[in-house]
Amino acid sequence: MFDKILREKLLPSELIIKDFVKGEPECNYENYLLEIVNKSSFFREKSEEENFVSPQIESNGECDCNSKNIKWILNI
């Protein structure tokens, strides 16, 4: 069952495609992913209220965000 008030809407490409806006480092879907995950009661509960953070490197398929208290990975 799902909450009928929940709606999905894609963010515009300039907000989620890396380097869509040249020279703007905040133009990155991973920033939005972190914000959504850290505000989500589901993920906050799973991580024992520990914030998720970006990995130091992502050159070899690393997760997009990590939490030291979570036992499974989130790779979107």
Side-chain angles (χ1 to χ4, degrees):
M1 198 124 186
F2 65 93
D3 189 335
K4 293 179 182 178
I5 67 167
L6 293 176
R7 300 284 185 260
E8 142 184 337
K9 182 179 177 186
L10 291 176
L11 291 170
S13 55
E14 60 270 16
L15 298 179
I16 58 174
I17 298 173
K18 282 186 179 182
D19 296 324
F20 187 89
V21 179
K22 298 293 181 203
E24 179 53 58
E26 297 301 314
C27 178
N28 183 337
Y29 78 90
E30 292 163 348
N31 295 329
Y32 295 97
L33 173 67
L34 274 174
E35 185 175 342
I36 290 167
V37 169
N38 282 325
K39 297 292 183 185
S40 163
S41 59
F42 174 82
F43 288 110
R44 298 289 296 172
E45 178 184 325
K46 296 295 181 189
S47 69
E48 300 172 6
E49 301 299 318
E50 181 70 32
N51 274 339
F52 284 80
V53 295
S54 296
Q56 291 185 347
I57 58 168
E58 290 186 62
S59 59
N60 199 23
E62 288 83 4
C63 299
D64 290 323
C65 58
N66 302 303
S67 173
K68 66 181 180 179
N69 291 334
I70 202 155
K71 304 301 181 218
W72 43 271
I73 61 172
L74 180 61
N75 195 349
I76 297 176

